[in-house]
Amino acid sequence: VVNSGEKTKWFIKPSVEGAYIAVSDTDIGDYKVKDFATKMASLSLLIGPRWDYASGDKFQMYGKVAYTLDESDDIDVVINNIDIKQSVAVDTLEVGGGLNYRGNSNALNLYLEASYITGTDYSEKLF
């Protein structure tokens, strides 16, 4: 196969994300949030080859694995005068892959990803 200006590179892209949100004593229409706190953490890793062409075009394929934990503790809200207290946890593992094509002027970027997510879709504890 003739190389015609094509250069292959392998990449590994780790990612860490996190968030913390807390709300208390807030009225939203018929809803009153007495107390609410949520924490989210996500770790992911993409790995695969990327081809950089002399024309400036880039094409990459990758595999992906990600773990996400999202917990909301001590939710205390009032909806239509009904007091609700609960804790919610979502714990998921995502496995997938994707393709990405980027034109030389970055005006065209095509992206396709497929993944399978498994884990605790939703768990709830009412107090």
Side-chain angles (χ1 to χ4, degrees):
V1 176
V2 178
N3 192 329
S4 73
E6 172 187 324
K7 187 189 288 185
T8 303
K9 298 178 182 176
W10 281 84
F11 68 93
I12 298 174
K13 182 180 176 185
S15 177
V16 177
E17 297 178 41
Y20 176 76
I21 300 169
V23 179
S24 62
D25 296 324
T26 302
D27 290 332
I28 307 168
D30 290 336
Y31 305 96
K32 176 174 176 51
V33 178
K34 291 182 179 178
D35 188 33
F36 171 81
T38 186
K39 314 176 267 289
M40 185 278 296
S42 179
L43 304 170
S44 67
L45 180 69
L46 274 64
I47 186 169
R50 185 178 84 196
W51 294 273
D52 294 339
Y53 297 93
S55 65
D57 293 357
K58 295 177 180 162
F59 178 75
Q60 68 184 26
M61 297 186 313
Y62 59 89
K64 174 182 181 180
V65 62
Y67 172 76
T68 302
L69 176 62
D70 192 350
E71 288 185 347
S72 299
D73 294 329
D74 302 329
I75 299 169
D76 188 358
V77 296
V78 177
I79 302 172
N80 294 325
N81 295 323
I82 299 170
D83 196 7
I84 299 172
K85 294 181 183 183
Q86 62 184 358
S87 287
V88 177
V90 177
D91 184 14
T92 60
L93 177 66
E94 179 180 1
V95 177
L99 305 170
N100 186 308
Y101 169 80
R102 181 173 296 162
N104 66 353
S105 65
N106 289 332
L108 177 62
N109 189 10
L110 300 174
Y111 170 79
L112 174 68
E113 182 174 295
S115 62
Y116 176 75
I117 299 174
T118 186
T120 305
D121 292 330
Y122 180 78
S123 65
E124 177 181 51
K125 294 182 282 186
L126 295 175
F127 297 104

